[in-house]
Amino acid sequence: MRKILVGVKRVVDYNVRIRVKPDGSGVALDGVKMGINPFDEIALEEALRIKERGQADEVLAVSIGPDEVQQQLRTALAMGADRAILVKSDAAIEPFSAAQALLAIIRREDVRLAILGKQAIDDDASQTGPMLAALWDRPQATFASKVELQDTVARVTREVDAGLETIELDLPAVLTTDLRLNEPRYIKLPDIMKAKKKPLEVIDFATLELAVSAHLKVLKTEPPSQRSRGVIVKDTAELLAALRQRGLVS
Amino acid sequence: MTQVLVIADHDGSRLNAGTARCVTAALQIPDAKVHVAIFARDGAAVAAAASALRGVQKVICINRAENEHALAVQLAPQVVALMPSYSHLLGPSNSFGKDLLPRVAALLGVGQVSDLMASESAHRFRRPIYAGNAIVTLETDPAAKVVATVRIASFEAAGSGGSAAVETVNLNVPLPTHTRFISVSAAKSDRPDLQSAAKVVSGGRAVGSQENFQLIYKLADRLGAAVGASRAAVDAGYAPNELQVGQTGKIIAPDLYVAVGISGAIQHLTGIKDAKTIVAINKDAEAPIFEVADIGLVADLFKVLPELQALLGGA
Ligand SMILES: Cc1cc2nc3c(=O)[nH]c(=O)nc-3n(C[C@H](O)[C@H](O)[C@H](O)COP(=O)(O)OP(=O)(O)OC[C@H]3O[C@@H](n4cnc5c(N)ncnc54)[C@H](O)[C@@H]3O)c2cc1C
Ligand SMILES: Nc1ncnc2c1ncn2[C@@H]1O[C@H](COP(=O)(O)O)[C@@H](O)[C@H]1O
């Protein structure tokens, strides 16, 4: 079976302005709106489109995290994923461990393509995709903005600093999504009902028996230094005068 | 001993400006000896530029046909082959470094410090999370190697005038063939590079079209500035993807940043909060961009830009 694995991370909704806890122990998450990492919605959309074109048989949404992540996996099922797996862990998961866990699932499931987000908007790490590809010893195409699949290869256009780069990969492979890859679909009410009947398997992280060690110990979390509001000028001439006064324009 | 290897980003002939900033980041690590590695088909020109960076002790050049195009899957095993001599590996947090370094970290079996913004010791670093709305201090295992991408906006470029020795090294590492470079479409431009420019003029959704974006280009050219864009402007096709500034685009620190018709969403502000002077032109006085702007003008950009151009007396 041609399976596509999609990484689904639960993160703080992108509209939320987060607050650092006064004691420096982290970011206040109680009662904060959560959702699927936006890049993972793009990853899932791409997987669904590949399947709808007849180039895949099953789309599998996988998340590593606490029990609450089931909400996001149900959302992924409602969007159209066929199955979901929660690798349950109450401890914070670093990208390296996430990559290890995703690889364990890949080995179990015989996955042909893994699609992840280019970055999770909470830790902004941008690591898991390349790490997974390295541990799997397979190709990677990060920052994908266009994906064309053939039988055994994928041709991927990537958003790089120079512009757009196209590379060709033998499958299986790992892709990470950039913003312009697609626009994720909206979920319709009947899909939410249907999703309740789709399989969502829960596996305890410990049962994967991964050699996990924490690599990065967080000592403290602080708010950033703030910029302050400056002056408002009244017209274009004043703007130019202000720029000249600061020596920014000759 | 702290031996830091910096992986150079380059296009085959020129060193990317981020590399000099990575060297500064490397030198901030206490007692660091800093080497720069260049992977290229023929890295002589780039190596000469790297050897002039002040503080660099040695430049290592790995010339190989496969290194013509920087494919992470091919570079990673070569970097790993160099790592027995080093305690730290640094590279720019840009599309080159973000592709390569996590792959190397995984091969080395270590986690990665992303977007390093300051080093407090050889194993204690600061980095932003949540689009820069929180800064964490973290510690890596002192017994393990450190792999970090550098938030280049946090560091000045290393000065020139150095003359490090250049050593050409042959690495007999087998490389995978499962990934092939096809093409790259880079808009050739004489404008300054967005990532390292001293001045940047950016346009947002309000600019309205690709044609109207010429107003942004014209002002930028008059000021000698690079051009940037908000995500909305890129999504709408007004500007190419490599011009996106923000959390998921480029993080920049110019002396002057002019935001034209940009609202100032958190994701955009992350990309510019280190700019020395921020100018905002927006017709909505309530737009969040004004909360961070040093100079704000509440007005219609289609009125202001031609006026500005006329006052500046430029073409
Ligand atoms: C996962 C994710 C990642 C993202 N990453 C980024 C990123 O890296 N960079 C980024 O920029 N965004 C990013 N965004 C998008 C961000 O949330 C905003 O949607 C985006 O920045 C808005 O762009 P804008 O300011 O151009 O458009 P708008 O928010 O629509 O603002 C347009 C502004 O123009 C003003 N205006 C309208 N007409 C005129 C006129 N005639 N003259 C003057 N002013 C006028 C309006 O008052 C308004 O303030 C991301 C979003 C998500 C979900
Ligand atoms: N805990 C997780 N569960 C599922 N997918 C994850 C997890 N962490 C990271 N990922 C995937 O890896 C991508 C990049 O995350 P990061 O490396 O943390 O920026 C995310 O967009 C997800 O696709």
Side-chain angles (χ1 to χ4, degrees):
Chain A
M1 196 150 64
R2 298 167 303 168
K3 292 186 200 174
I4 303 181
L5 175 145
V6 175
V8 172
K9 189 175 185 193
R10 171 186 165 97
V11 298
V12 171
D13 182 87
Y14 72 94
N15 276 315
V16 172
R17 221 176 247 236
I18 59 100
R19 259 185 343 97
V20 174
K21 291 188 206 162
D23 65 0
S25 65
V27 167
L29 295 178
D30 284 348
V32 169
K33 186 176 170 205
M34 307 292 285
I36 297 180
N37 183 39
F39 289 100
D40 297 349
E41 288 179 331
I42 298 173
L44 178 53
E45 177 64 36
E46 196 63 20
L48 296 174
R49 289 185 191 186
I50 291 169
K51 186 185 162 201
E52 284 159 6
R53 285 199 299 265
Q55 295 183 303
D57 303 304
E58 186 177 58
V59 174
L60 177 61
V62 180
S63 191
I64 304 111
D67 242 340
E68 298 83 74
V69 177
Q70 292 202 28
Q71 286 168 28
Q72 279 65 42
L73 287 174
R74 283 289 166 209
T75 307
L77 292 169
M79 250 182 93
D82 299 294
R83 263 192 316 133
I85 297 178
L86 167 62
V87 178
K88 203 181 140 218
S89 162
D90 290 323
I93 293 293
E94 289 180 18
F96 191 93
S97 311
Q100 286 179 305
L102 290 171
L103 181 62
I105 302 297
I106 284 175
R107 297 231 191 274
R108 223 184 62 158
E109 297 278 348
D110 188 20
V111 166
R112 184 161 171 260
L113 188 63
I115 313 182
L116 276 57
K118 83 161 174 182
Q119 98 194 45
I121 61 164
D122 51 1
D123 63 19
D124 284 331
S126 205
Q127 302 174 5
T128 312
M131 284 183 165
L132 170 61
L135 298 176
W136 193 10
D137 196 16
R138 293 306 306 167
Q140 69 188 48
T142 49
F143 325 133
S145 68
K146 188 171 170 211
V147 177
E148 292 166 286
L149 273 194
Q150 285 145 29
D151 270 352
T152 56
V153 299
R155 193 174 269 238
V156 181
T157 301
R158 308 175 54 227
E159 292 198 3
V160 296
D161 288 348
L164 294 170
E165 180 191 79
T166 304
I167 58 176
E168 194 178 75
L169 325 165
D170 294 341
L171 299 174
V174 177
L175 310 182
T176 75
T177 59
D178 216 316
L179 293 168
R180 260 74 57 180
L181 181 58
N182 60 49
E183 226 176 285
R185 66 195 62 190
Y186 288 102
I187 297 169
K188 295 186 227 67
L189 209 54
D191 298 329
I192 298 174
M193 302 311 291
K194 262 190 261 166
K196 291 193 173 139
K197 299 200 197 80
K198 289 186 181 176
L200 192 169
E201 184 186 353
V202 181
I203 302 174
D204 205 80
F205 190 89
T207 62
L208 297 178
E209 297 187 331
L210 305 170
V212 178
S213 62
H215 297 107
L216 311 168
K217 196 163 107 199
V218 176
L219 303 177
K220 65 175 173 210
T221 306
E222 296 162 291
S225 54
Q226 295 293 342
R227 291 187 78 99
S228 49
R229 201 180 262 273
V231 297
I232 295 286
V233 293
K234 74 171 196 306
D235 58 22
T236 309
E238 263 195 23
L239 170 61
L240 190 56
L243 286 171
R244 287 204 162 119
Q245 195 209 341
R246 289 167 187 246
L248 290 165
V249 172
S250 55
Chain B
M1 195 151 51
T2 309
Q3 289 277 9
V4 186
L5 184 65
V6 172
I7 303 292
D9 181 15
H10 63 86
D11 65 1
S13 53
R14 275 164 313 152
L15 196 59
N16 178 298
T19 306
R21 292 169 185 250
C22 287
V23 166
T24 303
L27 290 167
Q28 197 189 70
I29 301 170
D31 303 319
K33 300 231 178 338
V34 179
H35 294 180
V36 174
I38 290 154
F39 296 88
R41 172 182 272 274
D42 171 7
V46 181
S51 106
L53 293 175
R54 197 177 294 270
V56 173
Q57 295 208 337
K58 188 158 90 179
V59 175
I60 298 165
C61 205
I62 301 94
N63 295 324
R64 187 166 175 165
E66 292 93 330
N67 291 345
E68 176 155 10
H69 303 289
L71 290 176
V73 297
Q74 292 182 339
L75 297 186
Q78 300 178 67
V79 176
V80 168
L82 292 174
M83 283 310 287
S85 315
Y86 298 94
S87 55
H88 291 61
L89 175 71
L90 263 52
S93 186
N94 61 13
S95 68
F96 167 74
K98 286 182 190 172
D99 192 38
L100 174 61
L101 269 72
R103 187 154 183 125
V104 175
L107 294 177
L108 294 172
V110 299
Q112 174 182 286
V113 179
S114 292
D115 299 318
L116 181 155
M117 54 191 288
S119 301
E120 293 182 350
S121 78
H123 295 276
R124 188 180 288 199
F125 310 99
R126 284 160 60 80
R127 68 168 299 254
I129 56 173
Y130 286 97
N133 288 302
I135 310 293
V136 290
T137 303
L138 46 82
E139 201 163 60
T140 61
D141 175 2
K145 293 189 192 297
V146 174
V147 175
T149 57
V150 173
R151 183 176 184 275
I152 45 196
S154 296
F155 300 91
E156 302 285 338
S160 57
S163 59
V166 177
E167 188 182 317
T168 305
V169 174
N170 268 320
L171 297 172
N172 270 324
V173 183
L175 299 184
T177 55
H178 54 47
T179 307
R180 295 164 293 276
F181 173 86
I182 304 290
S183 64
V184 65
S185 70
K188 276 277 160 260
S189 140
D190 298 330
R191 294 194 173 87
D193 166 49
L194 171 60
Q195 187 85 67
S196 52
K199 297 175 187 173
V200 174
V201 181
S202 278
R205 191 197 311 271
V207 177
S209 69
Q210 199 179 354
E211 296 74 59
N212 289 350
F213 228 78
Q214 286 310 321
L215 290 169
I216 303 292
Y217 284 108
K218 263 176 86 177
L219 178 60
D221 288 347
R222 178 61 184 76
L223 299 178
V227 172
S230 71
R231 173 190 173 181
V234 175
D235 281 2
Y238 308 161
N241 60 274
E242 65 271 19
L243 299 191
Q244 182 180 315
V245 171
Q247 180 188 16
T248 61
K250 291 191 171 122
I251 306 222
I252 58 177
D255 294 336
L256 173 65
Y257 185 79
V258 185
V260 183
I262 292 178
S263 60
I266 324 174
Q267 292 87 5
H268 189 79
L269 297 185
T270 318
I272 59 170
K273 59 170 61 161
D274 291 328
K276 292 210 181 70
T277 299
I278 296 177
V279 173
I281 301 168
N282 192 306
K283 71 176 183 189
D284 174 10
E286 303 297 314
I289 188 78
F290 289 118
E291 288 163 31
V292 299
D294 300 282
I295 308 172
L297 175 53
V298 183
D300 187 330
L301 72 96
F302 295 107
K303 181 167 166 288
V304 173
L305 291 187
E307 281 177 6
L308 200 52
Q309 205 74 35
L311 288 171
L312 285 164

